[in-house]
Amino acid sequence: MIQATEYFSDETDLSTEAACASCLYSLKWPNGFVCPQCRHSRAYTITSRRLPLFECANCRLQVSLTTGTIMEGSRTSLVKWFAAIRLMSRQDRGISAAALSGLLKVTYKTAWTMLHRIRTVMAEEELAVPLEGRVAIHDDSYARPLYNPSVIPHARETRLIVGATLSEAGEPERMTVQTIKQEHLYYQRVTREAIEWFKESRMDCNARLVYCPINFYVSPRHKKILPVMKDARQWLNTTFHGIGKKYLQTYLLEFCCRANLALASIPAFPAICRICASSPVPHRFPPLHWAS
C-alpha cells in the first residue's frame, strides 16, 4: 500500500518511481483514498501493473493513481514527470521543450506534450482566479518591431492588457496579462469594448479600477508597479526565442502563475504539482488565446 508523504517541498527526493508515486498519492488524496464515484474511503490495492490500481471496497470501481491528473494515459515515468514540473517551476526562466528533451532523454514530441499539459493547467488555474480589490491596468504589446512608423499594427504584433490587484501601499498582489481580440482593436488603439471585456472576463464583479491609462502614456512610477510584461517579454525571447500568436496567451498565463506564486511567497514546485495532480488532461490541449 502506498503511504502518503507527510510533507512535500521543493527539496523532496523524487529520484525513484516509488517516491514519486507516494507524492502523487498525497497530492491526489491528501486525506486518504476517496472513490470518485461513491466517495467511499476504503480501497484494495492492485500491484500487478507499473503503477498501482485502487479498487473501491464499496462499488468496485478501479482507479489508477494517474486518473484525473495531467499524467493520465502517459507512458512516461513519474520520475520524468516530476522532473519536468520541477524544471518548469523555476521562476527565472522555466524550460523549453528542446532543453527538456535533452535533459530527460525523451523525444521532442514527448517533451512538448508534457510541458504543454503542465502549461495549460497552470493557465486554466490562473483564469479561474479573477483580480479583486483595487485594480490597475494598462495596454502593452508583444512582438512589435522597434521601428514601425506605420499606424497599422505589424502582422506579428499582439496587443495586450496588463492588470494587477494593488495593495493599500500600491504594490502588486496579483497580476495577469490578456491578449485582446482583434474586433476590440481600432488600428493600434484599444477600444472601450476591450476594457469592458477585460473587466468582465478577468476582474471580480466587486473589483474597482483605480488606474487605467489605456492608449495613453504610462508613467515610470506605474511601470514599476506593473513590470510583468517587461519580465515576460524577456522570458519568452530568452527561453523560447519568441512565441507566435497561437499559444501566446497560454505562455503568458504560465508566467503569471509563477509570478503570482512568488508574490504570495508560495513555493512554486509544490503548488504546481498540486495543480497538475488535481487537473485532468486538457481536452485536445486547446490553445488559450483570443487574439487573431
Side-chain angles (χ1 to χ4, degrees):
M1 178 70 178
I2 289 181
Q3 299 296 320
T5 54
E6 295 182 359
Y7 180 72
F8 178 46
S9 72
D10 192 49
E11 288 74 34
T12 301
D13 182 14
L14 297 172
S15 58
T16 66
E17 198 76 355
C20 291
S22 294
C23 268
L24 184 57
Y25 183 94
S26 66
L27 292 167
K28 184 179 175 67
W29 295 304
N31 299 314
F33 174 84
V34 176
C35 175
Q37 181 167 279
C38 69
R39 313 306 296 173
H40 195 66
S41 59
R42 286 185 61 246
Y44 305 106
T45 306
I46 302 172
T47 58
S48 58
R49 299 173 46 160
R50 179 177 67 88
L51 291 176
L53 198 65
F54 300 93
E55 183 176 298
C56 177
N58 181 50
C59 68
R60 302 301 178 183
L61 177 71
Q62 292 185 344
V63 183
S64 168
L65 188 61
T66 58
T67 299
T69 74
I70 64 164
M71 306 163 196
E72 184 174 356
S74 172
R75 292 178 292 180
T76 305
S77 69
L78 295 182
V79 172
K80 292 183 177 181
W81 268 108
F82 277 98
I85 298 172
R86 191 189 297 274
L87 290 167
M88 199 168 182
S89 67
R90 296 183 301 180
Q91 178 63 27
D92 54 350
R93 59 186 180 277
I95 192 168
S96 66
L100 185 69
S101 174
L103 288 171
L104 299 188
K105 308 301 181 186
V106 297
T107 65
Y108 177 84
K109 181 179 179 180
T110 297
W112 188 91
T113 300
M114 293 171 72
L115 292 181
H116 196 59
R117 288 189 183 190
I118 301 167
R119 181 173 295 118
T120 301
V121 296
M122 289 172 67
E124 290 174 344
E125 182 78 7
E126 281 300 297
L127 289 174
V129 183
L131 298 178
E132 300 177 335
R134 300 168 65 249
V135 176
I137 68 172
H138 70 78
D139 54 324
D140 210 318
S141 63
Y142 178 72
R144 176 176 173 80
L146 184 61
Y147 300 104
N148 183 23
S150 172
V151 297
I152 301 176
H154 191 274
R156 291 181 297 177
E157 180 182 352
T158 301
R159 297 289 286 163
L160 313 160
I161 291 181
V162 180
T165 294
L166 302 181
S167 66
E168 290 300 322
E171 296 296 324
E173 295 182 330
R174 183 176 187 82
M175 299 183 290
T176 192
V177 180
Q178 185 153 307
T179 56
I180 303 174
K181 293 181 179 180
Q182 193 62 42
E183 63 259 32
H184 290 161
L185 293 172
Y186 181 71
Y187 292 101
Q188 287 186 337
R189 298 181 67 83
V190 180
T191 63
R192 184 179 297 275
E193 287 76 13
I195 301 173
E196 293 302 318
W197 174 70
F198 180 87
K199 291 168 65 176
E200 292 175 5
S201 61
R202 298 300 294 122
M203 291 173 57
D204 183 79
C205 59
N206 296 317
R208 180 168 58 93
L209 270 181
V210 296
Y211 184 72
C212 179
I214 299 294
N215 299 321
F216 292 97
Y217 171 75
V218 180
S219 71
R221 179 169 64 94
H222 285 94
K223 283 184 177 179
K224 186 174 68 173
I225 292 175
L226 300 174
V228 59
M229 198 52 217
K230 175 183 176 182
D231 297 336
R233 189 181 292 110
Q234 181 179 3
W235 167 69
L236 290 170
N237 294 338
T238 302
T239 303
F240 308 102
H241 306 292
I243 292 295
K245 287 186 176 184
K246 183 176 182 181
Y247 293 108
L248 177 61
Q249 180 68 81
T250 313
Y251 280 77
L252 289 173
L253 289 173
E254 174 205 337
F255 181 86
C256 290
C257 181
R258 284 198 303 270
N260 288 328
L261 289 172
L263 284 172
S265 299
I266 299 173
F269 177 54
I272 296 173
C273 282
R274 291 186 178 92
I275 295 171
C276 294
S278 60
S279 305
V281 176
H283 180 60
R284 297 184 62 185
F285 319 113
L288 299 172
H289 75 287
W290 293 275
S292 59

